[in-house]
Amino acid sequence: MATSRGEFSSRLGFILAAAGSAVGLGNIWGFPTQTATNGGAAFVLVYLVLAFCLAYPAFMAELVIGRYGQANAVTSMQKMSRKTWQKQFAFIVGFGGVICAGLILSFYGIIAGWMMSYAIEPAAELLGMRGVATWVVSQGDIRNILFAALFMFFTIFIIRKGVEQGIEKWSKRLMPVLIVLLLMLILYVITLDGAIDGLRAYLNPDLSRVLEPDLLISALGQAFFSLSLGTSVMVIYGSYIAKKENLVSLGAQVTLIDVTIAFMAGLLIIPAMYVAQYQGVEIFAADGSLISGPTMVFDVLPALFNSMGSIGLFVAFAFFVLMSIAALTSSISMLEGPVSYAVERHNIERNKATTAIGLLIFAMSALIIFNIEFMLDFIAMIATEYGQPIIAMLCCVFVGWIFNRSDLLEEIKHGNEDVESSWFWKIWPWYTKFVCPVAILMVFLHSL
Ligand code: PFF
C-alpha cells in the first residue's frame, strides 16, 4: 500500500476536477448531436430527467464507495465486503471499471488528437504556414499517431504530478477557460444570420417522441457517459474528497454543472449548424436528419468558419481549443483510474505507473489507428454501451445490497450531520437498491 494518498485541497478543487471529468467531448459534441437526431428539445427534457433521477443516484453510489474506502475502486469495494465471494465480486466490478477507463481513453485520445490538430490549422493559417495547415487536417496514420501521442503526453504530464498539483491545479486553470470560451462562442454565433432558426429547432420540443425507446436509451447512455460512470473514475475522485465535505450536495453540484454545460453546448452547436446552412453549407443528411457525428465537427463547422473570412480563423481556433480542453480534463480522470490502482495495489511508484500505463494505452490507440475502420467504433461500443452501464449498475448493487446500511449512513453523515432526516436519505438508499439497477438493466437489455 502507498503510504500517503492525495486529497483535493478544497471543495472547489473537487467540483472543478469532477466537473472537468464529466464535461468533455460527450457534452460539447455528443449531447448536441444526440439532441439534433432525437427530436430537439424532447431529448433535452428526457435527458434532464434521467440525469437527475438515474445518473445522479448512481454517481452518488460511486462517490460513496470511494470516500468510504479511501482507495481505488477494487480496494474500496473490498473494504465494504464481508464475505469472500463479495470480495471477489468487488474485484471484478472495480477492475472492470479500471479496464473500461483505459479502453475509453484509448479511443478518446485519438479523437482529442484530432481536436488539437484542427486547433493548429487556423493558427498555422494565420502564421502563413499553408502547408502545415493543410497537413494537420488531412486524414492519415502519421498525423493521427502524432496528435494522439501529443495528447497522451499532456495527459501523462498532469497525472504524474498527482492529485493536488496535477488534477486539481489543472482543472482549476482549464475549466474557467472552457466556460469563458463557450460563452464567447455562443454570444458570437447567436448574432449571426440563421442562428435563430437553430435556436428554434433546439428549444422546440417534439413531445410525441418523449417516450420513444430509442430516445430513452440514447439519453440514458449519454447521461452515464457524461458523468463518467462505470469507469472507477468517480470512485477514485470520491476517495480524494475530505471527510468534512457534504457528498450529497457536492454530487448534485457536479451533476448540475455537467448538465448545464451540455445544454449550453447545444446553444452553440445547433444554431451554428443553421448559420452554416444560411451560408450555403448542406446541414441535412439524405434522410432529412441534421448531419451529426464526425461530418458535423470536421466538415460542416469548418465550412462555416471558412465562410466567415479572417474572423473565422479566430472562431475556429477558439472552438477547437475549447474541444481540446474539454477532452483533456476528462482524459486525466481516465488515466487516474488505472494509475491509482497500480500505485495502491501493486506499490508501483506514481511517476513510473503513470508513464507505463499511459504508454500502454497509447499503444492501444496506435493499434486502433492502424485498424481505424473496424476498431474505433468497436472499442467505443464495448466500453461505453456495454462496460459503463454494466459496471455502473453493479456499483449500485454493491452499495444497495452488500454495503452495510448503518455504515452507509455513517459515511453520508460526514459533513452532513442531519442527512438522516432529509429527503435524500428517505429516497436514495432504496432507489440505489431497486430502481437504479432495474432501470439500467432494462434500458441496457432493450438496447441489445
Ligand atoms: N464524461 C466525459 C465526456 O462527457 O466526454 C467522458 C468520460 C470521461 C467517460 C471519463 C468516462 C470517463 F471515465
Side-chain angles (χ1 to χ4, degrees):
M1 278 281 153
T3 42
S4 74
R5 303 188 79 238
E7 186 173 284
F8 291 117
S9 71
S10 65
R11 119 199 305 252
L12 182 71
F14 165 75
I15 292 177
L16 290 182
S21 169
V23 173
L25 299 178
N27 297 59
I28 300 176
W29 175 356
F31 179 79
T33 24
Q34 297 253 22
T35 304
T37 43
N38 285 297
F43 181 82
V44 179
L45 219 65
V46 173
Y47 179 77
L48 286 179
V49 173
L50 291 182
F52 282 101
C53 295
L54 275 178
Y56 169 67
F59 176 39
M60 283 307 301
E62 297 197 10
L63 289 183
V64 167
I65 294 174
R67 199 179 61 173
Y68 172 80
Q70 293 289 297
N72 63 84
V74 174
T75 309
S76 291
M77 282 193 254
Q78 288 189 336
K79 276 190 195 159
M80 295 172 147
S81 315
R82 278 148 293 147
K83 307 204 171 79
T84 313
W85 71 265
Q86 293 173 342
K87 289 196 196 300
Q88 288 162 345
F89 182 49
F91 179 82
I92 294 172
V93 179
F95 193 67
V98 167
I99 296 291
C100 196
L103 281 180
I104 295 179
L105 182 52
S106 70
F107 74 84
Y108 202 86
I110 301 172
I111 300 171
W114 294 340
M115 299 300 166
M116 288 198 306
S117 68
Y118 272 75
I120 288 179
E121 190 231 16
E125 198 78 57
L126 274 173
L127 296 172
M129 297 155 73
R130 269 271 148 110
V132 175
T134 313
W135 184 77
V136 289
V137 294
S138 323
Q139 264 302 346
D141 290 347
I142 305 287
R143 190 256 340 220
N144 290 345
I145 288 279
L146 212 70
F147 281 96
L150 189 63
F151 184 77
M152 185 55 91
F153 169 80
F154 288 134
T155 308
I156 292 176
F157 173 81
I158 296 176
I159 287 303
R160 276 174 67 109
K161 297 206 175 302
V163 181
E164 227 188 297
Q165 290 305 312
I167 299 173
E168 179 169 350
K169 189 162 153 188
W170 281 93
S171 302
K172 278 182 172 163
R173 283 180 181 166
L174 294 174
M175 288 305 283
V177 180
L178 179 143
I179 292 172
V180 170
L181 277 177
L182 183 58
L183 278 174
M184 278 172 32
L185 284 166
I186 294 174
L187 290 178
Y188 177 67
V189 166
I190 262 341
T191 62
L192 303 176
D193 289 331
I196 300 300
D197 289 338
L199 271 187
R200 214 170 278 135
Y202 182 46
L203 298 176
N204 194 8
D206 175 358
L207 288 178
S208 65
R209 299 193 57 182
V210 160
L211 290 178
E212 271 180 20
D214 283 351
L215 187 145
L216 289 171
I217 291 164
S218 307
L220 191 69
Q222 176 64 30
F224 273 67
F225 183 70
S226 195
L227 276 175
S228 314
L229 300 180
T231 58
S232 80
V233 161
M234 289 305 180
V235 175
I236 194 71
Y237 275 21
S239 78
Y240 299 142
I241 303 176
K243 290 279 186 191
K244 67 178 192 309
E245 303 294 355
N246 179 338
L247 270 193
V248 177
S249 72
L250 282 182
Q253 287 171 55
V254 172
T255 309
L256 194 64
I257 296 178
D258 184 43
V259 168
T260 308
I261 294 192
F263 180 74
M264 283 166 62
L267 289 177
L268 168 66
I269 303 283
I270 309 282
M273 295 284 281
Y274 281 78
V275 173
Q277 185 190 37
Y278 195 85
Q279 303 285 350
V281 181
E282 188 51 68
I283 66 165
F284 292 102
D287 64 358
S289 63
L290 205 58
I291 288 178
S292 54
T295 319
M296 180 194 90
V297 177
F298 300 118
D299 293 327
V300 177
L301 294 179
L304 166 67
F305 303 142
N306 271 337
S307 72
M308 291 174 171
S310 49
I311 191 160
L313 291 177
F314 294 96
V315 179
F317 180 69
F319 177 74
F320 286 108
V321 167
L322 167 78
M323 288 287 213
S324 307
I325 291 177
L328 186 59
T329 54
S330 296
S331 69
I332 55 178
S333 70
M334 294 175 212
L335 185 56
E336 180 64 16
V339 166
S340 61
Y341 177 83
V343 170
E344 294 177 358
R345 303 274 304 182
H346 298 288
N347 229 348
I348 304 175
E349 197 240 328
R350 185 175 180 94
N351 279 343
K352 278 201 195 119
T354 310
T355 310
I357 295 174
L359 289 178
L360 190 71
I361 295 175
F362 172 69
M364 181 71 189
S365 302
L367 193 69
I368 297 177
I369 287 171
F370 290 120
N371 301 282
I372 204 145
E373 293 287 324
F374 152 71
M375 276 187 85
L376 187 65
D377 285 347
F378 180 69
I379 298 288
M381 182 186 75
I382 294 287
T384 64
E385 289 175 28
Y386 293 81
Q388 280 193 283
I390 293 176
I391 292 163
M393 182 187 76
L394 295 178
C395 285
C396 291
V397 168
F398 221 92
V399 170
W401 295 88
I402 294 180
F403 194 26
N404 181 302
R405 198 174 155 107
S406 56
D407 288 344
L408 177 61
L409 177 61
E410 204 51 42
E411 181 50 48
I412 303 264
K413 265 187 165 177
H414 290 299
N416 192 357
E417 272 304 308
D418 308 323
V419 74
E420 207 173 345
S421 55
S422 70
W423 271 101
F424 181 83
W425 185 251
K426 288 198 183 86
I427 299 173
W428 177 74
W430 162 85
Y431 214 83
T432 313
K433 193 164 182 162
F434 299 104
V435 182
C436 288
V438 172
I440 300 171
L441 192 69
M442 268 168 50
V443 172
F444 175 69
L445 289 179
H446 190 278
S447 73
L448 296 183

